[in-house]
Amino acid sequence: MKPKISHWVGMLAQYSGMQSFLSHVGLLGGDLILMFHRILPDHQMAECFDPHLVLSEPGFIELLEILGNEYQISSLTEIASPRLEKHSRPRVALTFDDGWEDTYRVAFPHLKNRNVPATVFLCTNLVGTQRLLPEERLGRIWHHAENTRQLEEFHKNLTTWGVPQAATDRLRLHAIKRIPNAHKHVMLSVLEQLHDVPPANQRRFLTWPEVYEMAAHGIEFGSHSASHVSLTAEPDELVYIDLQQSIRSMTEHMGKPPAWLAYPNGLVDEFVVEAARQLGFIGAVSTRKGGMLHNKIHNSSSSLSNAGQFLLPRCNIESSCVATPSRACDPSRLALYFAKHTWPSHYELSARAQVRSASLNTHEEPVLVALGSENNSRIMPNARERCRQR
């Protein structure tokens, strides 16, 4: 029987002493990639639509100090590459999803002052806009319905849009994330009108000048798709089109295509991995738990021999997982949290779903997707044909 994580961590603490507790967790579990979404001051924490996506600014400051003492903070490209020399400390990389404006306003000054590398994954269609992520739109409708005593009606309205009843709100949210983007936006617009949700009127995401300033100080930028689409829910052709649109935009603004991809909502299958590789990404990060030492992937397609590079595990950091009443980021709690994330686990990469709704299978004409001036010799074949070939 596998020992409990708490037992393993307790034994480790007795062996190593608390001063190097985190380092030994890292050495046993392997290098880590951390995943952040929003970093907000204490008085703005409630503004985040999902508490699982936010770390307090004091917690972020304490975390950077702890990592600086216990880990070798590296870039994503470095941590994904084999070590060229031995080092006594494990490595850790910092990544930020979505490109929220507080990544620049709150997190970036602390990264810059400490000369800490990081990678930010942009939804390119949202840069410099006041638009909302589909998930944030849903969260605002949900909260408004709850505050105005319309929650039961809201749940009924969701079922009319094909969202199955579920035991928890979290399960409902997971189901909604798997709805194709076009259908999802229509649904959200109707629900906003039905429940009279007030419009949002403040900027949510980075601007390109802010991106340029961060890049000038060593921050790397990757793709998080163009519009935060759930790639496993989209028609095959649109997976290529959306990612290609993101690549074109970043190439135009940054002078080079993005090297890394982060899958929106962590949704990925063999087809999406193959599309990312075909489009020229060197790798991709997921939302699955794990350390780099145990980054083992099983998949049904023998052609995806390096799938692990396109499914790098990450550890999501939020205040509820690392904070205590006395510390915004407690070292002991952080060590236990890391240990849980780096425990070896089996991961099966799913094949493309065989049963799709009729609306996703109506486009049989060949779709050719060019990658822009620097890569215009690389053309994508019809996506379904690629699946048949595999």
Side-chain angles (χ1 to χ4, degrees), residues 147-180:
N147 292 336
T148 55
R149 299 182 181 181
Q150 302 178 68
L151 194 56
E152 184 176 353
E153 180 186 354
F154 171 67
H155 287 161
K156 289 180 180 178
N157 288 333
L158 284 178
T159 62
T160 66
W161 286 90
V163 179
Q165 295 184 356
T168 66
D169 289 344
R170 203 78 187 161
L171 291 175
R172 282 192 181 93
L173 178 59
H174 287 319
I176 293 168
K177 287 180 177 180
R178 287 161 172 77
I179 296 175

Side-chain angles (χ1 to χ4, degrees), residues 134-135 176-177 179-188 230 265:
E135 293 73 22
I176 293 168
K177 287 180 177 180
I179 296 175
N181 215 41
H183 182 93
K184 190 185 304 180
H185 279 291
V186 173
M187 178 188 74
L188 292 172
S230 295
N265 296 319

Side-chain angles (χ1 to χ4, degrees), residues 186-262:
V186 173
M187 178 188 74
L188 292 172
S189 296
V190 172
L191 291 174
E192 285 166 344
Q193 294 179 26
L194 283 175
H195 295 280
D196 197 22
V197 180
N201 55 6
Q202 65 184 74
R203 180 168 66 90
R204 292 295 202 275
F205 298 100
L206 296 169
T207 64
W208 285 115
E210 290 168 345
V211 170
Y212 303 150
E213 181 182 346
M214 295 173 73
H217 287 85
I219 303 299
E220 184 179 21
F221 287 87
S223 170
H224 200 37
S225 80
S227 302
H228 206 268
V229 298
S230 295
L231 296 171
T232 57
E234 298 301 321
D236 299 345
E237 296 88 347
L238 290 186
V239 172
Y240 283 109
I241 292 172
D242 183 90
L243 292 179
Q244 177 261 343
Q245 183 179 2
S246 170
I247 292 169
R248 279 181 175 168
S249 180
M250 294 193 69
T251 302
E252 176 185 349
H253 287 280
M254 308 295 294
K256 60 180 180 180
W260 293 94
L261 170 68

Side-chain angles (χ1 to χ4, degrees), residues 23 59 262 352 358:
S23 294
R352 194 66 161 172

